[in-house]
Amino acid sequence: MSAENKPPKIAVKALSKSFKAAKGKLLPVIDGVDFDVAEGEFVAIVGPSGCGKSTLMNILAGFEQPDAGSLALDGKPHPGPSPQGIVISQHGSVFPWLTVQQNLMFGLDARASGTANAELADHYAAMVGLKGFENAYPHELSGGMLKRVELARAFIVKPEILYLDEPFSALDALMNLRMRNELLRILAEEKHTVLLITHDVDEALYMADRVLVLSPRPTRIQARFELDMPHPRRLISPEMDQLREAILKELGLEMPA
Ligand SMILES: Nc1ncnc2c1ncn2[C@@H]1O[C@H](COP(=O)(O)OP(=O)(O)OP(=O)(O)O)[C@@H](O)[C@H]1O
């Protein structure tokens, strides 16, 4: 198959989802969402609180089934969670009883040599700035360091798709900024397709190639913005100010004149 007619990495068509609410009533959450993501593209999805962002991410990552519509990866129907994708959420998923090195080795092929896996784990620990902490336990690390462990644990298995659900929202503002830079630095070295769910418009503007704005629940895509700008980006520039204003307007937040 030639590059031109290669299917998109992720193809989402007419996705809908409702949940059963109290008294058997249905709560419509997703109401016909369509978009494609190209291989290596970084797409951010922003939306108002409670609109269905996490539900959409759970469907995209294969943890939840839609009621209608389709989801395909590389042109093939996507039946459930697959080793092709890794999810990083705000809740964190580091095993507290394992050291940094053991956490990083957890997802690796146990049939490979232990020494090779340990070396690979140490390489990825160094890559996210945790050199010297390979034998530390999670309780000995700060929140930012724990996020680094998670990033390293995601990258070490070389996922084709990274699903990021507000991954840095529990961190303070400075660490949040550091982690964005860290993520961009790693992505420049190892190309992955990234889907980021966030309520932080600046996070999307700083990192994404494209921003999709969701409507309030039941959600659909209300607006799409292309960000054809090189990295590193300045968040304060006339172009960025214009984009921020346009996205915030879509989210119902008018900036004062
Ligand atoms: N498993 C479930 N069962 C019933 N209702 C659910 C379930 N999961 C989510 N919901 C409802 O779906 C709606 C959307 O929730 P979701 O967590 O997807 O929104 P969100 O945009 O990620 O929210 P936030 O911005 O607060 O993180 C909410 O009204 C929520 O109560």
Side-chain angles (χ1 to χ4, degrees):
M1 193 179 286
S2 76
E4 295 87 67
N5 51 32
K6 208 173 150 187
K9 190 79 202 161
I10 305 171
V12 177
K13 280 201 180 51
L15 275 195
S16 294
K17 177 80 183 171
S18 297
F19 286 114
K20 280 218 176 68
K23 296 180 188 155
K25 271 189 160 176
L26 277 185
L27 179 77
V29 176
I30 298 177
D31 180 26
V33 164
D34 291 273
F35 66 94
D36 285 351
V37 182
E39 185 160 13
E41 199 182 8
F42 191 137
V43 172
I45 300 175
V46 298
S49 183
C51 73
K53 296 185 291 299
S54 293
T55 304
L56 179 61
M57 187 61 112
N58 286 339
I59 294 174
L60 298 176
F63 295 123
E64 191 98 60
Q65 287 300 313
D67 299 335
S70 67
L71 169 65
L73 299 188
D74 294 319
K76 296 185 201 87
H78 181 36
S82 89
Q84 266 178 294
I86 291 278
V87 180
I88 302 184
S89 72
Q90 55 187 307
H91 307 298
S93 57
V94 170
F95 298 122
W97 60 89
L98 298 180
T99 65
V100 167
Q101 190 195 59
Q102 290 163 343
N103 262 290
L104 297 190
M105 287 168 67
F106 189 81
L108 295 177
D109 187 347
R111 290 164 300 179
S113 112
T115 317
N117 279 354
E119 276 171 13
L120 197 60
D122 290 353
H123 169 78
Y124 276 85
M127 191 168 170
V128 296
L130 287 173
K131 196 167 172 53
F133 289 90
E134 296 84 353
N135 297 315
Y137 283 89
H139 72 268
E140 299 172 285
L141 305 178
S142 69
M145 290 161 104
L146 283 174
K147 271 291 157 205
R148 287 163 194 269
V149 178
E150 273 194 76
L151 270 189
R153 217 174 65 170
F155 282 115
I156 201 169
V157 296
K158 300 207 176 294
E160 290 168 34
I161 306 168
L162 269 179
Y163 300 98
L164 307 177
D165 188 356
E166 309 222 15
F168 309 138
S169 62
L171 300 175
D172 63 63
L174 193 63
M175 189 51 77
N176 185 315
L177 204 58
R178 278 207 190 134
M179 292 309 301
R180 290 179 198 174
N181 286 331
E182 199 81 11
L183 177 62
L184 288 175
R185 190 180 56 74
I186 300 171
L187 288 174
E189 275 177 42
E190 305 188 355
K191 207 68 189 146
H192 299 264
T193 304
V194 184
L195 264 177
L196 167 74
I197 296 268
T198 183
H199 63 268
D200 184 338
V201 173
D202 274 1
E203 187 165 86
L205 289 174
Y206 195 62
M207 298 197 283
D209 300 318
R210 196 147 51 100
V211 179
L212 309 178
V213 183
L214 295 180
S215 72
R217 185 178 58 77
T219 205
R220 42 177 49 240
I221 295 177
Q222 181 172 313
R224 301 164 195 249
F225 295 87
E226 298 286 337
L227 277 82
D228 192 10
M229 301 169 192
H231 294 285
R233 290 179 182 161
R234 289 180 63 84
L235 279 172
I236 301 165
S237 70
E239 201 181 1
M240 277 296 188
D241 290 349
Q242 223 173 25
L243 268 168
R244 183 183 297 105
E245 204 161 317
I247 293 175
L248 287 173
K249 196 170 170 190
E250 291 292 341
L251 292 169
L253 295 161
E254 299 275 354
M255 301 287 270

